[in-house]
């Protein structure tokens, strides 16, 4: 039985914040460092304010870019009035990965107890691209990457992973 070879995926990171700059973006730094350490490509990295239309437009642009396979956003997933990242993601999704939020909550419960109920982490697919919205804390980004995304974005992970079905994500858009 032969082992699968690693396949690097191209991942864009979007930090959603009204107040952070790239120099102060600890959550984006956590994701970028882990993406590259795992052997993937950090395709792009940006910071946008908590503006639903701007976030959705950036997600759509990255989904339309053939050089990007996955988009991970951090920030704007809470319950306050300015937290609109989840809504922007859902404006773009063709399909939601419902269990992503559930598994993230499970992982978070082990770290922060019942405070995990305040997270609205979400995942979905659009235009053949995976999209994930994570909370804005470095710890949440670390937990999501280490416990879920690192495994699911590794083609060698069994019994199944996101990478192996990537070529079929947009099959409904192809001519028959």
């Amino acid at each position: 039985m032969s082992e699968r070879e690693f396949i690097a995926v191209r991942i864009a990171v979007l930090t959603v914040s009204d107040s952070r700059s790239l120099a102060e973006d600890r959550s984006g730094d956590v994701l970028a460092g882990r993406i590259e350490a795992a052997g993937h490509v950090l395709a792009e990295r940006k910071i946008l304010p908590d503006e639903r239309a701007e976030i959705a437009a950036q997600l759509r642009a990255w989904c339309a870019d053939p050089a990007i396979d996955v988009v991970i956003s951090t920030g704007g997933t809470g319950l306050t009035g300015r937290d609109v990242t989840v809504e922007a993601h859902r404006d773009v999704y063709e399909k939601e990965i419902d269990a992503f939020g559930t598994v993230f909550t499970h992982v978070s419960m082990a770290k922060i107890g019942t405070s995990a109920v305040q997270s609205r982490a979400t995942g979905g697919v659009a235009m053949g691209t995976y999209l994930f919205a994570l909370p804005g804390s470095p710890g949440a980004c670390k937990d999501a990457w280490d416990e879920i995304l690192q495994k699911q974005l590794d083609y060698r992970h069994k019994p199944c992973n996101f990478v192996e079905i990537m070529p079929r994500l947009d099959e409904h858009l192809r001519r028959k």
Side-chain angles (χ1 to χ4, degrees):
M1 183 169 124
S2 66
E3 287 296 315
R4 296 177 177 179
E5 288 190 31
F6 179 78
I7 297 173
V9 294
R10 299 158 300 192
I11 305 171
V13 173
L14 175 65
T15 298
V16 178
S17 175
D18 286 333
S19 59
R20 285 189 213 151
S21 69
L22 212 51
E24 304 153 331
D25 181 18
R26 291 182 26 236
S27 296
D29 289 344
V30 164
L31 290 169
R34 279 173 160 69
I35 287 164
E36 291 176 329
H40 297 296
V41 176
L42 180 62
E44 255 190 86
R45 185 172 170 190
K46 287 190 178 179
I47 295 182
L48 286 179
D50 293 274
E51 296 293 339
R52 183 173 175 170
E54 285 184 55
I55 297 164
Q58 183 61 65
L59 296 175
R60 284 187 189 98
W62 278 343
C63 286
D65 185 341
I68 295 175
D69 303 309
V70 178
V71 176
I72 304 173
S73 69
T74 175
T77 63
L79 301 172
T80 71
R82 294 289 294 155
D83 291 326
V84 295
T85 303
V86 173
E87 288 73 20
H89 270 252
R90 289 183 175 147
D91 290 343
V92 176
Y93 291 165
E94 294 165 4
K95 293 183 179 181
E96 190 159 357
I97 305 170
D98 299 311
F100 179 79
T102 304
V103 172
F104 181 79
T105 301
H106 178 76
V107 168
S108 296
M109 282 285 298
K111 311 282 172 120
I112 61 172
T114 60
S115 294
V117 302
Q118 294 185 35
S119 170
R120 297 187 307 135
T122 184
V125 178
M127 295 185 269
T129 303
Y130 288 109
L131 301 131
F132 301 98
L134 308 179
S137 77
C141 290
K142 174 187 168 298
D143 293 344
W145 180 267
D146 294 353
E147 303 295 328
I148 306 168
L149 294 174
Q150 180 177 3
K151 295 171 178 107
Q152 282 299 299
L153 295 175
D154 189 333
Y155 181 66
R156 301 166 299 185
H157 181 75
K158 293 180 182 180
C160 56
N161 60 75
F162 289 143
V163 178
E164 66 189 342
I165 60 172
M166 200 176 288
R168 296 182 16 231
L169 291 178
D170 63 355
E171 65 190 0
H172 65 289
L173 302 175
R174 294 184 221 134
R175 292 204 289 170
K176 304 211 186 255

